[in-house]
């Protein structure tokens, strides 16, 4: 397994380009199952989660040619509407083939994703919604087995906003007979993006990006050609990296409008964030102290849970104590023990972390078990004033960050990938 080695203490400066959004590309790849013919996705990032989805689509019988940033998905041979455990366990988002397969082929067998490192993450809302559209669902030997004649439009009220749950239901409803209304939807930009693609395919979707979405289903859907939006979490991660390391960084194609909650917290902490042409500029003089800022994660447009770990590193540098509350996932503080090994002072009580900033971080060999936690450790390595940091198990990072060590090196950081390090 590869690792990333970081010699910290260097400010970041220069310009990098933000890649296409992983969490927008994944549902859109699943949406290709809704039609025959060849769909073309542009601006797709080269990531392990994209490879996993391509492998799943191939298993289902589609012809996939993936050469990021272009991915072509064609009709292929007969579709086998079955997503096996071996593929689903690698990536929970695989459960998003359930809605399209069921709507298109009248049946689907998809492995239950099971728990994951950041929490139990049930899929009850996906299943409840598909049942409301007329599916019969049973659980058998670790699989979701779903059947229907033709799905019928209905009203679905989610108990809580779920991103992939909303997306699964939007895709199913796009081929259902009649009108579906989804209430209490996730409002993430990736949901809005899927709405745009379903409209290109011939469904009539309105309200995506708000908490009520209406979908007028079609009898058949067309393939599409679509360029994926930029990755707001990748952009946010580099914004925090620049703030933490200090310096002056330009992020090309960063969707600042989708990152207002993060930008507001950065400004409160004393970081300059602004737009400059098609770039976002992040500037901080590393000699000037940062102010502690409290953060509570929330569904979009609130502060994203996917930015919590990275922001916590920034708060380790602030002069004073900040309180970070995680409300979305129950187990998303796994970076804390590793940050403590680097010298951070953080007390965790349930969903709340008190970060006592100001203690210098020093380099260490660290390891994380999820994607965003790994990114936070890389940022901690950038600011560690002494010693070298080695972040092990980089395959977590490779799930969601395209060439992270190269992009950071482009900004002047001393980051290298070490191939085949055990750990
Ligand atoms: N939930 C349920 N029942 C359901 C579905 C969700 O109780 O049927 C709960 C979850 O357990 C969680 C909350 O609802 O407590 C919100 O979870 P959500 O369903 O919105 O998460 P997700 O769709 O599984 C997506 C992203 C995650 C991101 C979350 C929250 C994708 C592919 N994944 O997951 O991204 O953290 O939304 O914004 O879009 C990442 O990229 O690192 C990542 C984990």
């Amino acid at each position: 397994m590869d690792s990333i080695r970081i010699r910290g203490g260097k400010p970041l400066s220069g310009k990098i380009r933000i890649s296409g959004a992983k969490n927008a590309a994944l549902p859109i790849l699943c949406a290709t199952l809704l039609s025959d013919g060849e769909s073309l996705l542009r601006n797709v990032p080269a990531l392990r989660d994209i490879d996993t989805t391509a492998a799943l689509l191939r298993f289902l019988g589609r012809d996939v040619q993936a050469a990021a940033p272009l991915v072509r998905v064609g009709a292929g041979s007969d579709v086998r509407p079955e997503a096996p455990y071996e593929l689903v366990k690698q990536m929970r988002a695989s459960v998003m083939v359930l809605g399209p397969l069921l709507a298109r082929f009248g049946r689907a067998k998809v492995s239950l994703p099971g728990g994951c490192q950041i929490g139990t993450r049930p899929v009850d809302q996906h299943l409840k919604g598909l049942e409301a559209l007329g599916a019969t669902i049973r659980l058998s030997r670790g699989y979701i087995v779903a059947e229907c004649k033709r799905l019928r439009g209905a009203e679905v009220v989610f108990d809580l906003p779920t991103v992939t749950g909303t997306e699964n239901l939007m895709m199913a409803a796009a081929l259902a007979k009649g009108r579906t209304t989804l209430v209490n939807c996730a409002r993430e930009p990736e949901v809005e993006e899927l709405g745009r693609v379903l409209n290109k395919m011939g469904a009539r979707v309105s309200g995506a990006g708000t908490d009520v979405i209406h979908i007028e289903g079609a009898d058949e859907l067309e393939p599409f050609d679509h360029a994926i939006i930029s990755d707001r979490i990748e952009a946010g991660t580099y914004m925090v990296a620049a703030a933490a390391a200090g310096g002056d960084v330009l992020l090309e194609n960063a969707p600042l409008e989708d990152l207002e909650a993060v930008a507001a917290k950065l400004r409160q902490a004393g970081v300059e964030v602004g737009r400059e042409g098609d770039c976002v500029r992040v500037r901080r003089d590393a000699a000037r102290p940062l102010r502690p800022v409290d953060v509570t994660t929330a569904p979009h447009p609130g502060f994203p849970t996917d930015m919590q770990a990275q922001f916590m590193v920034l708060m380790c540098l602030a002069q004073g104590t900040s309180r970070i509350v995680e409300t979305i996932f129950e187990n998303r503080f796994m970076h804390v023990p590793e940050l403590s090994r680097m010298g951070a002072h953080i007390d965790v009580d349930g969903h709340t972390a008190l970060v006592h900033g100001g203690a210098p971080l020093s380099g260490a060999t660290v390891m994380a078990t999820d994607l965003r936690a790994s990114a936070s450790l890389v940022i901690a390595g950038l600011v560690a004033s002494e010693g070298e940091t080695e972040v092990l198990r980089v395959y977590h990072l490779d799930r969601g960050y395209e060439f992270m060590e190269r992009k950071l090196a482009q900004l002047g950081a001393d980051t290298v990938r070490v191939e085949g390090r055990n750990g």
Side-chain angles (χ1 to χ4, degrees), residues 29-39 53-65 72-80 101 104-105 201 223-224:
L29 281 166
C30 296
T32 62
L33 290 165
L34 291 166
S35 78
D36 276 331
E38 184 176 274
S39 289
T53 309
L56 176 58
L57 292 175
R58 284 190 197 105
F59 180 91
L60 293 169
R62 309 293 285 191
D63 175 24
V64 184
Q65 292 168 39
R72 279 175 208 280
V73 184
S77 55
D78 284 350
V79 168
R80 160 169 50 163
L101 287 176
R104 180 86 194 290
F105 304 102
M201 297 181 82
F224 59 86

Side-chain angles (χ1 to χ4, degrees), residues 22-23 121-125 162-164 306 328-329 372:
K22 166 179 86 81
N23 289 348
R121 301 180 79 179
V123 290
D124 57 305
Q125 299 300 308
T162 153
V163 177
T164 51
D306 289 345
I328 306 294
F329 293 114
R372 309 301 171 187

Side-chain angles (χ1 to χ4, degrees), residues 39 191 225 230 244 255 269 420 422:
S39 289
V191 172
D225 179 338
S230 302
N422 287 328

Side-chain angles (χ1 to χ4, degrees), residues 166-210:
T166 303
E167 292 165 344
N168 226 340
L169 262 293
M170 286 166 75
M171 290 187 277
L175 273 181
K177 188 169 176 55
R179 184 179 169 88
T180 296
T181 301
L182 305 177
V183 179
N184 198 20
C185 295
R187 291 180 284 164
E188 269 67 3
E190 296 77 20
V191 172
E192 203 176 335
E193 175 78 339
L194 177 64
R196 281 189 279 271
V197 169
L198 293 174
N199 280 331
K200 279 188 181 177
M201 297 181 82
R204 273 178 290 150
V205 179
S206 61
T210 74

Side-chain angles (χ1 to χ4, degrees), residues 69 87 100 115 155 188 199 207 213 215 252 337 355 359 375 386-387 389 401:
L87 287 168
E155 181 175 275
E188 269 67 3
N199 280 331
I213 302 177
I215 302 136
E252 206 179 340
V355 184
E386 59 179 60
T389 296
Y401 291 94

Side-chain angles (χ1 to χ4, degrees), residues 22-24 26-27 49 92-93 96 118-127 160-165 167 186 188 190 232-233 299 304-306 327-330 332 370-372:
K22 166 179 86 81
N23 289 348
L26 298 178
D49 277 4
R92 297 181 49 83
M96 281 190 291
I118 60 178
T120 50
R121 301 180 79 179
V123 290
D124 57 305
Q125 299 300 308
H126 302 230
L127 304 188
L160 77 184
T162 153
V163 177
T164 51
E167 292 165 344
E188 269 67 3
E190 296 77 20
R232 65 194 166 98
I233 303 298
T305 173
D306 289 345
T327 70
I328 306 294
F329 293 114
E330 65 266 35
R332 217 174 189 184
D370 95 271
L371 164 59
R372 309 301 171 187

